[in-house]
Amino acid sequence: MKHYFASILLVALLSGCAAFPPSPLQAQLGPRPFYLMQELPEGELKERLQTCGSGPFYAHDFSIGHRGAALQFPEHTQESYEAAARMGAGIIECDVTFTADGELVCRHDQCDLHQTTDILLKPELAQKCSQPFMPAQGDKPASAQCCTSDISLAEFKTLCGKMDGFNPAAKTVEEFVQGTPGWRTDLYSQCGTVMSHKESVALFQQLGRKMTPELKAPQVVMPFTSAQMTQPYHREQNAQQLVDELRAAGVAPQDVWLQSFLWSDIQYWLSNEPEFGQQAVWLVEDYTAAGFNPQQPDTWLAELKRLKSAGLNIIAPPLWMLVRNEDDRIVPSGFAMAAKQAGLQIISWSLERSGPLHHGGGWYYQSIAEITRSDAVTLQLLHVLAQDVGVIGVFSDWPATTTFYANCML
């Protein structure tokens, strides 16, 4: 009998399993969601997840690939995006910024190349960085600042993406770029393929996925000028260029969720590109940054209704703003309930970005830190966001987790 199964396996390997091609929408989750499920205490949530543990699992728009699958793959690289699609992310994010010659590229921050790529290991490009590498001295940490606007698109495309991080104690460039947190990995970080925004759109289309580009706030003075531009580059041009590239690729407005932390960007899209602006997502970092008084929650509803009347349909606060601790239970926050009452849809960010949760979870879990004592909180929080807050999607650095939950519970 074992010889029979061995022969079947050999045929499959030789044929590349051509007789059983995977569905582009079928997801491969790997072990992590099931590890998180086993961490849950006994109860209804665990029982319901266990009943669907054998799958099959499919891509779901509730599952949004945050920078791709950045928990283990270099963020905003082709490999990271493809991993997110395999794990069933129905929507994938390219954070969008610009180069010295005005081309759009996928990076989380305009000036993060020194910690997300190998630019400092390329002397001909490192010399173009806004701030060259400075070794650690005494109490002063090592530093550098390399921006996409320091180099051209062609130069950007020669870079290798790496895991986000740097070593503040570094004395050399080689030490500086070795800063991956211990709970991540460099297994897939040999040379991630960096991408322009146009390339990301083509890839997402090929993968059969929707997209949510975030227009990043500029880290340079606007309007931007460089020797490679014939005229100053304004923020409004930046916002329009993003939509123009989507339209040129034939992307339907209903398959795009434009994002920005800057309300002025949202206003621009609502006024100038209303088809795309209808699904524009206003990202909120915290109460004060977004203009909400944390000491006067009774004013939130009126402000959220004003945003809704201005045309906003979707708001995206971080995880912690949407929940609170009530008698050692995770429950919706006052802000979450006010947003719903104002008629806004809600997306949240970012799951699976905090490492092991047994010490409180850090920034993303600050409102429930007292009851965040194990990785089980990942699924418990997700359950409250989906069922009680009613979010329409959650960004995750490991989309298999959100795909698993969506397939089992939505």
Side-chain angles (χ1 to χ4, degrees):
M1 181 65 70
K2 67 180 181 181
H3 297 297
Y4 170 77
F5 285 115
S7 64
I8 292 294
L9 177 60
L10 179 60
V11 170
L13 290 172
L14 292 175
S15 66
C17 298
F20 305 99
S23 163
L25 298 181
Q26 192 160 348
Q28 301 172 13
L29 302 186
R32 181 162 177 79
F34 305 99
Y35 156 75
L36 295 174
M37 179 183 68
Q38 289 305 117
E39 289 288 295
L40 287 168
E42 298 301 322
E44 181 183 358
L45 175 58
K46 186 171 186 175
E47 291 172 3
R48 289 188 61 182
L49 292 174
Q50 285 175 327
T51 60
C52 77
S54 59
F57 303 102
Y58 297 93
H60 200 291
D61 288 353
F62 179 84
S63 181
I64 306 173
H66 183 238
R67 315 184 197 181
L71 179 63
Q72 293 194 25
F73 288 82
E75 63 184 45
H76 295 306
T77 61
Q78 179 177 336
E79 294 78 11
S80 188
Y81 293 150
E82 289 175 341
R86 279 190 183 276
M87 287 187 274
I91 304 170
I92 305 177
E93 177 190 48
C94 163
D95 289 330
V96 178
T97 186
F98 58 87
T99 60
D101 50 350
E103 297 293 337
L104 303 184
V105 294
C106 299
R107 285 291 97 192
H108 174 65
D109 191 290
Q110 187 170 26
C111 295
D112 72 1
L113 295 182
H114 54 282
Q115 64 188 64
T116 63
T117 75
D118 64 347
I119 189 170
L120 290 175
L121 300 177
K122 298 178 179 292
E124 71 281 7
L125 296 182
Q127 66 180 353
K128 298 186 177 185
C129 290
S130 296
Q131 180 206 315
F133 168 72
M134 300 292 290
Q137 291 185 343
D139 295 333
K140 188 175 182 180
S143 64
Q145 186 178 65
C146 303
C147 308
T148 58
S149 51
D150 292 334
I151 58 176
S152 68
L153 174 62
E155 291 168 326
F156 174 81
K157 287 294 295 177
T158 69
L159 301 177
C160 289
K162 74 175 192 69
M163 294 301 286
D164 184 14
F166 67 93
N167 176 7
K171 298 293 186 181
T172 67
V173 166
E174 289 74 16
E175 291 175 349
F176 185 81
V177 299
Q178 300 299 320
T180 304
W183 46 270
R184 289 181 175 164
T185 181
D186 283 316
L187 281 173
Y188 313 111
S189 189
Q190 307 315 303
C191 185
T193 307
V194 298
M195 306 198 79
S196 69
H197 175 248
K198 289 178 183 177
E199 289 172 330
S200 77
V201 171
L203 178 64
F204 300 157
Q205 290 175 314
Q206 177 188 336
L207 294 170
R209 297 301 189 264
K210 300 172 185 176
M211 54 204 77
T212 181
E214 178 193 338
L215 192 63
K216 302 304 295 187
Q219 301 298 306
V220 295
V221 175
M222 299 294 282
F224 175 72
T225 58
S226 80
Q228 300 183 50
M229 289 187 174
T230 58
Q231 56 187 2
Y233 185 65
H234 294 262
R235 180 61 173 182
E236 294 77 12
Q237 290 175 265
N238 193 200
Q240 186 62 52
Q241 185 178 357
L242 174 56
V243 176
D244 289 345
E245 290 189 358
L246 293 165
R247 182 179 287 113
V251 180
Q254 64 266 27
D255 292 338
V256 180
W257 288 259
L258 301 173
Q259 309 174 72
S260 180
F261 281 98
L262 300 181
W263 176 245
S264 57
D265 292 337
I266 305 298
Q267 289 179 307
Y268 178 86
W269 291 321
L270 288 171
S271 298
N272 296 280
E273 293 288 352
E275 284 189 304
F276 286 90
Q278 186 174 3
Q279 289 191 158
V281 180
W282 186 41
L283 296 159
V284 174
E285 186 169 5
D286 58 40
Y287 293 104
T288 304
F292 298 98
N293 188 334
Q295 306 303 321
Q296 295 183 330
D298 56 328
T299 64
W300 297 345
L301 179 58
E303 177 61 17
L304 289 164
K305 284 184 175 179
R306 184 190 69 78
L307 294 170
K308 174 66 176 176
S309 66
L312 181 69
N313 291 311
I314 308 173
I315 194 168
L319 303 173
W320 66 267
M321 280 186 67
L322 295 175
V323 294
R324 61 186 178 88
N325 174 10
E326 180 179 281
D327 300 326
D328 293 334
R329 295 183 303 114
I330 303 172
V331 299
S333 68
F335 187 85
M337 302 312 292
K340 289 180 64 178
Q341 191 175 345
L344 293 170
Q345 294 181 309
I346 304 171
I347 293 173
S348 195
W349 51 277
S350 293
L351 208 67
E352 300 277 47
R353 189 157 184 81
S354 304
L357 301 183
H358 56 288
H359 290 310
W363 189 84
Y364 287 97
Y365 291 79
Q366 59 186 279
S367 62
I368 54 171
E370 303 89 347
I371 54 174
T372 301
R373 290 293 177 264
S374 81
D375 290 341
V377 176
T378 303
L379 288 173
Q380 292 171 325
L381 171 59
L382 191 57
H383 189 51
V384 172
L385 291 172
Q387 305 299 330
D388 299 333
V389 175
V391 300
I392 62 172
V394 175
F395 284 88
S396 177
D397 276 26
W398 201 243
T401 302
T402 39
T403 300
F404 175 57
Y405 180 87
N407 274 259
C408 293
M409 304 295 291
L410 299 179

